[in-house]
Amino acid sequence: MKTKLLGKSLLSLLLICGGAAHADGACRDASGTQGEVRAVVAAATDLAKVLSAAENATLQRPLDRASAIRWSNLPIALVPRNGLRIGDLDTTKSAAARKLAEAALSACGLKLFDEVRLADDALIPLDTRKIGWGGGNYYFTILGKPSESTPWMLQIGGHHLAYNFTFNAAREGATPLFFGTEPIRFSTSGVEHEPLAAQSSAMSNLARVLAAHAPAKLSGTFTDVVKGVVFEMMPTPKGGTDTGFPQTYPSGTADRGILYSALPPAEQALVRAALESYASLPGDAITHTLVAAYEAPEALAQTYVGYSGAVDLSEKGSYVRIDGPRIWMEFVVQPAVAIPTDLHYHALWRDKQSDYGGQFRQ
Amino acid sequence: MRRAALTLALMTTAALAFAHSAPNSLVKLTFQAHSVRAEIMVPESELAFATAAEHAAQPFPAYLLRHLAVETPAGAPWKVEVLGVRSTTYFDHPYLLADVVLTPPAGASATHFVFVDDAVTHEVRNHVVMVLARGKESAELLGALQYPARRLTVERP
């Protein structure tokens, strides 16, 4: 079902910020410098300069576990977020915030940032419950002091997006990275949007070939991503954030899918394409060492891929997973919330060793 | 009185419309002198997947007893009794709430045991059973169970 709605508030914001979504599908610029800490620090510094003292106090928080894990896959009325709300920013401040997003993200990551918020705008007239739909309800948060040498975090997120980038930490800092969309497809002003087109296509392409391999079929039922947030954490309001970090992951060989090494070369290429569809969302400087680690022959030899449900991702419960020594990427199809007869997507990328740059593991 | 308070709390929280399609289970333990009372909340939507997978229609208490156990640290079984079941809601999701009493074998500690539970998690891979100790003012998280984990060691002072 295509929802043809104009998300006026977010569209206006995008136009103000000069932020038309990229449509060419190329994730990286020619320089390959997206995500470089120097540029991200400079953009964060520029943003701070145009904010009031109160806004800076809202934007910047201490770098600690409690703040770092405060991301979710739920609307803000259920799980309030920290940080600077995009919908509260004027033209100058919006432009500065967007420069920060541009510094940290690839073109594809920026497009996702725009389209996920447009999708959230599309839900406003469809579901009038006061649960916080809307592209303005996304936030920028800086944990610690932006620096080219000491650890700090940039978080950009809201209902269906959680970018958590950690700079200068002991380990790589691209994850946790959650993203989703409802509606799956929609149009605004005659422009078609499908925020997770790249990732759903890549995961579906992988599932289609996995269907020919019996060991790749995962047991059980999937109604959400497996290593996401848990809303029911008591007592509230602690629930709905990443309180389960660090996660425990499957071990051994049972029920993890089929090994990458058991697949023919053409199908192995689909595994790499799927993982790159996620890993290409942050700037290249943030992810290139991770991709290299994931695609190292010894890592791929220990990487499992599995699926459940419909390989074309056309039914609720459809699920695809990449599970390696470090990599953990999931894609799941759920019933939609605003339109229960429809579907929506959740996707999650975790790194078993370096979520939050390897910090806060105790 | 305590149950009335819980019901009121559930009704209050349900006033906030729900936007989460994969609810999880809650187990709230109340430690008594010679037994443990467990209030077990299982979301009906996820339970439906689990019971369907077993291809055996059975009352919820019977299903629960098949997937719930308590043992001493040495492995001796506790007595598990379902005193009653009722329907409730939590953040607008329909739940079944079971009132369960857990009794250790003679001479065994009522505060040091292994809680074994794979209700729903035996089928729904993302499902989490949150195990909490009920306190006077709030609940304390003791642990969480998610497939394939089904055993949680509990040791209270």
Side-chain angles (χ1 to χ4, degrees):
Chain A
M1 175 178 175
K2 292 185 177 180
T3 307
K4 295 191 173 183
L5 293 162
L6 175 63
K8 290 183 179 177
S9 60
L10 178 57
L11 189 61
S12 300
L13 187 65
L14 294 177
L15 292 173
I16 288 169
C17 297
H22 293 258
D24 60 7
C27 291
R28 296 183 174 86
D29 66 0
S31 68
T33 58
Q34 290 159 320
E36 281 193 345
V37 65
R38 180 188 300 266
V40 181
V41 168
T45 304
D46 289 344
L47 173 60
K49 289 176 182 173
V50 299
L51 298 178
S52 68
E55 289 167 332
N56 268 309
T58 301
L59 171 69
Q60 299 190 17
R61 305 180 64 86
L63 177 61
D64 56 26
R65 186 182 190 279
S67 295
I69 67 170
R70 193 152 194 84
W71 59 271
S72 187
N73 60 12
L74 292 162
I76 63 162
L78 289 170
V79 183
R81 309 303 204 274
N82 293 329
L84 197 62
R85 181 177 172 272
I86 291 174
D88 292 335
L89 303 179
D90 65 18
T91 304
T92 300
K93 294 166 185 174
S94 290
R98 184 166 190 86
K99 290 289 186 186
L100 178 54
E102 290 174 348
L105 300 170
S106 73
C108 294
L110 196 64
K111 179 171 179 283
L112 182 76
F113 173 57
D114 290 337
E115 290 198 310
V116 163
R117 288 179 295 138
L118 283 171
D120 238 79
D121 269 348
L123 298 180
I124 294 174
L126 301 179
D127 184 354
T128 57
R129 296 176 296 171
K130 304 296 184 185
I131 47 183
W133 306 131
N137 290 328
Y138 284 67
Y139 294 77
F140 283 80
T141 312
I142 290 172
L143 307 183
K145 180 176 173 52
S147 162
E148 294 182 36
S149 58
T150 57
W152 66 284
M153 283 187 69
L154 169 64
Q155 297 177 314
I156 305 173
H159 168 214
H160 266 152
L161 186 66
Y163 286 128
N164 294 289
F165 302 142
T166 310
F167 298 96
N168 311 317
R171 306 298 303 264
E172 302 87 348
T175 58
L177 201 166
F178 167 83
F179 54 108
T181 189
E182 179 183 349
I184 292 172
R185 300 173 195 84
F186 59 99
S187 63
T188 56
S189 301
V191 178
E192 296 285 327
H193 298 282
E194 188 175 351
L196 272 59
Q199 294 78 23
S200 61
S201 295
M203 284 300 208
S204 179
N205 289 341
L206 175 58
R208 288 175 199 275
V209 300
L210 293 180
H213 303 278
K217 181 79 162 60
L218 300 171
S219 73
T221 298
F222 296 85
T223 62
D224 203 344
V225 291
V226 174
K227 298 301 177 185
V229 302
V230 175
F231 176 70
E232 291 79 5
M233 179 72 73
M234 294 284 282
T236 53
K238 292 181 179 176
T241 63
D242 194 20
T243 48
F245 173 80
Q247 302 279 346
T248 301
Y249 294 94
S251 58
T253 61
D255 207 13
R256 295 178 68 184
I258 187 170
L259 275 171
Y260 173 93
S261 55
L263 300 173
E267 296 178 10
Q268 291 179 340
L270 295 177
V271 178
R272 298 194 303 276
L275 81 83
E276 289 169 10
S277 75
Y278 284 46
S280 61
L281 294 171
D284 189 56
I286 296 172
T287 60
H288 72 274
T289 56
L290 278 173
V291 174
Y294 296 163
E295 297 187 349
E298 60 273 22
L300 287 172
Q302 302 173 66
T303 296
Y304 293 83
V305 286
Y307 81 102
S308 181
V311 296
D312 62 357
L313 307 180
S314 64
E315 299 174 6
K316 66 181 181 181
S318 303
Y319 177 84
V320 192
R321 184 167 78 205
I322 304 173
D323 167 17
R326 293 184 60 178
I327 190 173
W328 180 267
M329 289 179 176
E330 304 178 76
F331 194 99
V332 72
V333 182
Q334 296 182 287
V337 172
I339 312 172
T341 55
D342 210 339
L343 299 172
H344 89 287
Y345 295 152
H346 278 183
L348 178 65
W349 171 21
R350 283 187 179 276
D351 187 285
K352 297 176 183 178
Q353 299 176 12
S354 70
D355 277 358
Y356 307 108
Q359 305 189 113
F360 317 124
R361 297 189 67 83
Q362 298 302 317
Chain B
M1 185 70 178
R2 178 173 293 164
R3 180 163 307 170
L6 172 66
T7 304
L8 178 61
L10 291 170
M11 292 175 65
T12 302
T13 53
L16 181 57
F18 206 83
H20 174 30
S21 56
N24 295 295
S25 293
L26 294 166
V27 175
K28 299 174 190 172
L29 303 177
T30 301
F31 293 86
Q32 301 175 331
H34 304 292
S35 64
V36 177
R37 202 71 173 257
E39 187 179 80
I40 299 178
M41 291 175 57
V42 179
E44 292 184 18
S45 60
E46 311 303 282
L47 178 64
F49 291 113
T51 55
E54 293 195 328
H55 305 293
Q58 56 188 330
F60 179 59
Y63 169 84
L64 198 56
L65 289 172
R66 278 168 34 79
H67 293 280
L68 176 67
V70 181
E71 302 170 356
T72 68
W78 285 34
K79 182 180 179 182
V80 179
E81 290 178 276
V82 179
L83 300 183
V85 173
R86 63 184 172 88
S87 297
T88 187
T89 59
Y90 182 60
F91 282 86
D92 283 359
H93 272 290
Y95 273 73
L96 291 178
L97 189 157
D99 185 11
V100 179
V101 63
L102 313 168
T103 308
S109 166
T111 57
H112 187 194
F113 54 87
V114 180
F115 184 80
V116 185
D117 185 354
D118 70 350
V120 180
T121 65
H122 67 87
E123 172 61 23
V124 181
R125 296 295 176 255
N126 51 286
H127 195 74
V128 177
V129 178
M130 312 296 298
V131 183
L132 307 120
R134 188 191 293 278
K136 289 182 180 177
E137 301 296 328
S138 62
E140 174 192 349
L141 178 67
L142 299 177
L145 297 171
Q146 185 182 40
Y147 174 85
R150 55 194 294 272
R151 299 171 66 83
L152 177 69
T153 298
V154 175
E155 188 167 10
R156 302 292 291 174

